[in-house]
C-alpha cells in the first residue's frame, strides 16, 4: 500500500459532494463547524475568507477556512495574520495522519504563500477541551500563544505559527 499524498487546494465545486457528505459527530461536532455549514450557505462567506480543501490523492477528504477578515483581531494583533477556522476531516479518513500532513509547514505554508502572499502568521483557536486537536496542532508546529479567546463554543487556546512571506 502506498502512502497517501496530501495536498491543499482552494475549495472548488467539484469538491462539494465529498465535503458536504460527511458529518462530524459527538465531541467533534461541538468543536468545529462541518464543511456543509460553509458550503451550503449556513455561514455567510466574505471576500476575506478562502475555503480550502484537504485532498488525499486528489480526493477531497477535509476542509478549513483561512480568514483574513476582522475576526482574526481577536486572535492576533498582527495585521498580516490569517485565522485558520473550521478545520475538519472526514471521519472515515481520521487517524491516518492526514490532518497532520495538511497542517505541517511543508504543506500549509507553501499554500498560504501562494494564495495569501502577504500572510506572515497563521493563528487559530482550539477549544480548551479538544485535547486531540491541541496535540495535533502542537505536533504540526503550532505554538501556544499563552492567550485565550471566548469563542462561540467556549474557551479557546490561541495557537500560532509564523511563516515566511512570499514577497
Amino acid at each position: 500500500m502506498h502512502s497517501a499524498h496530501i495536498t491543499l487546494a482552494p475549495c472548488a465545486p467539484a469538491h462539494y459532494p465529498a465535503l458536504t457528505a460527511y458529518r462530524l459527530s459527538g465531541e467533534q461536532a461541538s468543536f468545529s463547524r462541518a464543511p456543509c455549514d460553509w458550503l451550503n450557505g449556513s455561514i455567510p462567506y466574505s471576500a476575506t475568507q478562502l475555503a480550502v480543501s484537504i485532498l488525499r490523492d486528489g480526493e477531497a477528504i477535509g476542509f478549513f477556512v483561512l480568514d483574513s477578515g476582522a475576526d482574526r483581531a481577536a486572535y492576533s494583533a498582527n495585521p498580516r495574520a490569517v485565522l485558520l477556522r473550521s478545520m475538519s476531516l472526514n471521519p472515515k479518513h481520521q487517524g491516518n495522519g492526514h490532518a497532520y500532513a495538511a497542517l505541517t509547514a511543508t504543506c500549509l505554508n507553501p499554500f498560504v504563500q501562494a494564495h495569501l502572499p502577504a500572510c506572515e502568521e497563521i493563528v487559530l483557536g482550539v477549544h480548551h477541551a479538544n485535547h486531540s486537536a491541541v496535540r495535533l496542532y502542537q505536533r504540526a508546529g503550532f505554538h501556544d500563544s499563552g492567550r485565550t479567546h471566548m469563542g462561540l463554543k467556549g474557551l479557546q487556546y490561541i495557537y500560532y505559527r509564523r511563516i515566511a512571506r512570499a514577497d
Side-chain angles (χ1 to χ4, degrees):
M1 179 162 160
H2 78 288
S3 93
H5 183 61
I6 301 298
T7 55
L8 302 175
C11 189
H15 303 156
Y16 287 21
L19 295 174
T20 57
Y22 75 82
R23 298 292 182 265
L24 301 174
S25 60
E27 265 194 347
Q28 288 184 344
S30 69
F31 295 141
S32 187
R33 300 294 293 264
C36 61
D37 292 343
W38 290 90
L39 302 176
N40 292 341
S42 301
I43 301 173
Y45 259 120
S46 79
T48 61
Q49 294 169 329
L50 173 62
V52 181
S53 296
I54 301 170
L55 307 177
R56 177 186 181 265
D57 298 327
E59 173 195 358
I61 63 162
F63 177 86
F64 59 87
V65 172
L66 293 172
D67 188 345
S68 54
D71 286 355
R72 73 166 181 237
Y75 297 86
S76 176
N78 183 345
R80 293 182 175 274
V82 172
L83 176 62
L84 188 151
R85 56 194 325 172
S86 297
M87 166 78 182
S88 71
L89 205 63
N90 183 324
K92 74 179 184 184
H93 292 284
Q94 292 175 9
N96 298 312
H98 301 331
Y100 169 78
L103 291 171
T104 59
T106 55
C107 190
L108 181 58
N109 291 15
F111 179 86
V112 170
Q113 289 166 333
H115 296 278
L116 300 166
C119 176
E120 61 186 28
E121 181 181 46
I122 302 164
V123 295
L124 59 93
V126 59
H127 193 282
H128 72 96
N130 192 349
H131 304 295
S132 60
V134 167
R135 283 191 303 274
L136 168 67
Y137 292 122
Q138 288 173 341
R139 281 182 45 238
F142 285 84
H143 307 283
D144 188 342
S145 70
R147 299 186 319 275
T148 59
H149 172 68
M150 187 53 71
L152 294 174
K153 300 181 181 237
L155 185 69
Q156 298 178 331
Y157 299 133
I158 299 173
Y159 277 74
Y160 72 95
R161 184 169 72 220
R162 306 278 300 172
I163 60 170
R165 290 200 356 233
D167 58 335

